[in-house]
Amino acid sequence: MQSLHRIPSLEQLSALTAAAAHGSMGAAAHELGISQQAVSARISAAETLMGLAVLERSSGGVRPTGQGQLVLAWAERVLDAARDLGDGIQGMDASGRTLLVAASNTISEALLPQWATRLRRAHPDVALQVEPGNSRSVIEAVTNGAVDLGYVETPQIPRGLRSRTVAHDELIVVAPPDHPWARRRRGIDTAELSSTPLILREDGSGTRTHIQQALPGHASPLHTLASTAAVRDAARTMGVPTILSSLAVVDDLATGRLVRVKVTDLSMPRALRAIWNPHQRPRGPAAELLRISTQPSRSPRRGPRVPPA
């Protein structure tokens, strides 16, 4: 048991692994939410306790020594085990808890219901409260610590947040079956698509951000609406094309209420991501929901497969 006296604390191990991962004391301090001096002090104390140098300092930053690479690998295993222990303990004490999740419209409509069903089986006493919105509002809620976990469609994740891909999706052009585009066997090209006013999601939504990147300078929308369901319904009733997630129109394509329009020179794949605040790491039910959402989908539903993390 003498060797236990030479094991650094979890805080010291976190400082070591963060500095090694970023190659910088300053970046490690930002991640851990402490001062750079505190990071340096924790690392020095850990090295003194172990009696070896883990990191080599230079004007360009820090990097692991030969022995340090082994120590860091072991440290990661210790930290992972500690996180599992913490998540497990918190999960046992989750009775009656409300799990707050913010999710963009497509994810809240198409994916969260099946995830919620699986979470309910694992934590029957946890109430899941979902706040739907666009990706901009989800990022704001996660950044401010107002929710435990967020799900977004936007390609830009702020540097201060952590993220993990939970699914792959594709934006597609759809139109009502009586629209001229629906009868175009050869499809349309981006020039025609860009010059045609469409019904689209509002600014700040992940869908709209992807469209703006894929079709810079596209025509001003005929209408902008604040939910995926509203855009889908408006396209059907007004006879106007739109661009939506393939996940959001699975049923409409199957029943013929909407028709996919081929765009000969454009594809719009995207990743859907879970996001969280590193100072409010997912634990207990939140960690379980994150695990569920990054597992392969068990649903036979048509549409993009949810890949493993």
Side-chain angles (χ1 to χ4, degrees), residues 5-297:
H5 298 298
R6 299 183 62 186
I7 297 177
S9 68
L10 295 178
E11 289 79 10
Q12 292 168 344
L13 293 178
S14 295
L16 282 168
T17 57
H22 294 289
S24 162
M25 296 283 192
H30 179 75
E31 176 180 325
L32 298 174
I34 59 178
S35 69
Q36 185 170 336
Q37 290 78 12
V39 170
S40 181
R42 290 182 184 182
I43 290 174
S44 295
E47 290 178 323
T48 298
L49 183 64
M50 291 184 289
L52 55 88
V54 177
L55 299 176
E56 178 182 334
R57 284 80 161 169
S58 70
S59 59
V62 298
R63 64 179 182 180
T65 62
Q67 289 181 318
Q69 292 177 354
L70 285 173
V71 172
L72 290 166
W74 296 328
E76 289 285 3
R77 288 162 56 186
V78 171
L79 291 170
D80 286 341
R83 294 183 189 110
D84 290 342
L85 175 62
D87 291 345
I89 293 172
Q90 185 157 340
M92 293 177 186
D93 192 34
S95 178
R97 177 181 168 185
T98 297
L99 175 60
L100 300 177
V101 174
S104 60
N105 281 273
T106 297
I107 296 174
S108 65
E109 292 177 14
L111 295 175
L112 256 176
Q114 57 185 292
W115 297 341
T117 298
R118 294 167 62 185
L119 179 68
R120 182 70 176 174
R121 296 194 193 106
H123 296 279
D125 295 326
V126 172
L128 177 62
Q129 181 176 323
V130 179
E131 299 179 8
N134 61 34
S135 291
R136 180 185 295 166
S137 68
V138 173
I139 288 173
E140 181 178 350
V142 172
T143 301
N144 294 338
V147 295
D148 300 296
L149 195 62
Y151 290 94
V152 295
E153 306 159 38
T154 184
Q156 289 96 14
I157 306 297
R159 290 186 60 186
L161 300 181
R162 298 290 178 269
S163 69
R164 185 178 300 171
T165 298
V166 299
H168 292 284
D169 182 29
E170 181 184 12
L171 294 181
I172 61 174
V173 179
V174 294
D178 57 351
H179 190 275
W181 283 2
R183 298 187 289 272
R184 294 267 195 94
R185 292 185 177 181
R186 295 184 178 180
I188 61 173
D189 59 21
T190 53
E192 184 173 4
L193 179 62
S194 295
S195 62
T196 302
L198 308 172
I199 296 176
L200 296 176
R201 286 289 307 278
E202 79 286 6
D203 284 331
S205 69
T207 296
R208 186 66 177 275
T209 300
H210 276 275
I211 292 170
Q212 290 167 340
Q213 291 183 350
L215 297 169
H218 65 79
S220 297
L222 184 66
H223 294 290
T224 57
L225 300 171
S227 78
T228 299
V231 171
R232 187 175 57 229
D233 293 344
R236 292 199 306 254
T237 58
M238 297 178 65
V240 178
T242 185
I243 301 175
L244 285 173
S245 160
S246 61
L247 288 169
V249 294
V250 168
D251 293 336
D252 293 272
L253 295 179
T255 59
R257 292 191 296 263
L258 291 173
V259 176
R260 179 169 183 170
V261 178
K262 178 182 178 182
V263 183
T264 58
D265 53 349
L266 178 67
S267 64
M268 291 177 281
R270 62 178 182 170
L272 309 181
R273 295 181 175 89
I275 61 172
W276 63 93
N277 192 317
H279 304 303
Q280 192 175 336
R281 185 176 175 273
R283 298 184 182 278
E288 178 68 9
L289 180 60
L290 179 60
R291 184 190 66 80
I292 289 170
S293 61
T294 53
Q295 287 183 331
S297 174

